[in-house]
Amino acid sequence: MRRKIYLFSLVVICFSFDGVSQQMEMLNNESQELRKRIIEKSNTTNTIISDFIQYKHLDFLSNDIKSTGKLVFKSPDLIKWEYLEPFKYSVVFKNDKLLINDDGVKSKIDLSSNKSFKSLNILIIKSVKGDMFDENSFDIEYFKNSKNYLVRFQPKTSSVKSFVNEFILTYDKVSLNVIEIKMKENSEDYTLLKFINQSINEKVGNEVFSN
Amino acid sequence: MKKLGTRFFLISCLLMLLVSCSYSTSRGFIEQPQTKDVVVNSYFSDLEKDYVYKAILHIYKHRLSGIFIVKKINTNHHRIVFTTEFGKKIFDFELVENDFKINYINDQINKKKLIRTLSDDFQLLINQNNAVMNEFYSPTESIYRSKVRDKYYYHFYNKNNDQLEKIVMTSRNKEMLTIVFQDLKNNLAQSIVMTHDNLKISIELKYINN
């Protein structure tokens, strides 16, 4: 009996520590220091090449919908977002245009006349670079664990809120690279992007951004 | 004179009957005695399975691509969600018995007439059991007619393998929607095409092995 209580206590303690290690709110001076470091890092990030795994979580499904692909970013505003599995689909944000290639079927959207797509483009660039520290647009909370920093951005404007209720960015504690972006909806549903095999500031030619 | 009047009445009735049956769904088919009371569509019937498709929706002038998800939640209860490739929801519908509930719909497609059309389309797509009213003979297909509210459903089964290959929805006198199921394996349609006859709305689905 005593052994059982001991084991139960151990399990409780382990889970408690796990909970704490996942989300410990940062002190104000600590979070401001982190904010400064991330903005500095973001300002010196000229290119990003990364593989990604996307999980679409819908609460009623048995499994998340998984897709994988490749992201290429070049400062100030070129992005190629390419899904490779289980379908081929890519978009390029370039010169106020969104170039879409849906498994060979190509189309184009003019962003200059489409406000919501334009703000989406800006948000994508900011989230990929990790710098979304605009306090006029977001309520921001800072957390940390042993390996990562986690920053929650809650949109203040209804236009952004209508498609994402909260952005949660996870930064690697050492490199300050964004390693996860979680976009929560009003319900329990969310999209989670995990970035792997990242290369920062490698040379990227403009020809990559054709579609 | 009275005889002539009766004849005229009978001919008129026959003509009306012929006209009302002259749309191509049942044209050339001969009604035969019923061999089934219920027709079954098993393509979205597994409670354990997530049905995930890459989709292209043509809605009037717009082409929307994304992910189309169907999940059977319970008996006569399905959830149908369409998202962009990035995961942004376009619509999220719930079909319980004959009720149609909108959990979310993007402002750009939030139009009453379109929603009513999609509601009928998805009801036809997932409706699992339908009571047979008539059965028709064809050398290659078994054809069954059923009625749901004010619409008629025609289920076409391949006679060789008894698989459901097509459903046509009609009003009293015209075709409205055709659903074609292809690449059929283990109660799963890997390819589905839904086409309207009188509206510029179509849906193409390719199964994703999630």
Side-chain angles (χ1 to χ4, degrees), chain A residues 34-35 38-39 130-135 140 142 151 153 171:
Chain A
L34 173 66
R35 180 181 190 275
I38 292 173
I39 292 172
D131 176 9
M132 290 177 67
F133 298 97
D134 175 1
E135 269 145 9
I140 307 169
Y142 300 79
V151 185
F153 299 88
Y171 301 84

Side-chain angles (χ1 to χ4, degrees), chain B residues 5-54:
Chain B
T6 314
R7 248 187 223 171
F8 179 74
F9 174 71
L10 283 173
I11 289 167
S12 306
C13 284
L14 191 65
L15 273 173
M16 272 176 70
L17 198 69
L18 284 172
V19 169
S20 68
C21 294
S22 68
Y23 53 97
S24 60
T25 303
S26 58
R27 193 179 294 152
F29 300 144
I30 301 154
E31 191 166 349
Q32 65 171 39
Q34 255 179 254
T35 57
K36 270 185 191 180
D37 293 329
V38 175
V39 274
V40 181
N41 168 8
S42 306
Y43 295 138
F44 299 100
S45 62
D46 189 346
L47 281 162
E48 304 298 315
K49 203 164 175 57
D50 300 333
Y51 296 95
V52 182
Y53 289 82
K54 176 80 170 67

Side-chain angles (χ1 to χ4, degrees), chain B residues 121-178:
Chain B
D121 293 2
F122 297 150
Q123 194 73 57
L124 177 66
L125 181 71
I126 53 98
N127 227 354
Q128 201 174 329
N129 300 305
N130 290 286
V132 175
M133 284 170 63
N134 314 81
E135 189 170 328
F136 299 93
Y137 171 81
S138 138
T140 53
E141 293 161 312
S142 307
I143 305 155
Y144 305 92
R145 187 165 86 140
S146 51
K147 193 180 180 198
V148 175
R149 293 192 293 268
D150 57 338
K151 308 281 187 318
Y152 294 95
Y153 293 176
Y154 289 82
H155 286 68
F156 293 74
Y157 291 81
N158 185 316
K159 266 192 172 159
N160 290 328
N161 53 24
D162 205 27
Q163 287 193 316
L164 176 63
E165 290 184 338
K166 187 167 81 172
I167 313 176
V168 178
M169 180 168 73
T170 74
S171 63
R172 278 187 73 82
N173 53 14
K174 61 180 178 189
E175 274 112 356
M176 299 174 77
L177 173 73
T178 301

Side-chain angles (χ1 to χ4, degrees), chain A residues 54 56 62-63 86 163 189, chain B residues 50 71 85 87-89 208:
Chain A
Q54 179 178 299
K56 180 67 199 173
S62 307
N63 298 300
F163 62 92
D189 303 336
Chain B
D50 300 333
K71 178 77 177 176
E85 288 78 359
K88 165 82 181 88
K89 271 185 203 161
I208 295 172

Side-chain angles (χ1 to χ4, degrees), chain A residues 44 81 112:
Chain A
T44 57
W81 202 283
S112 57

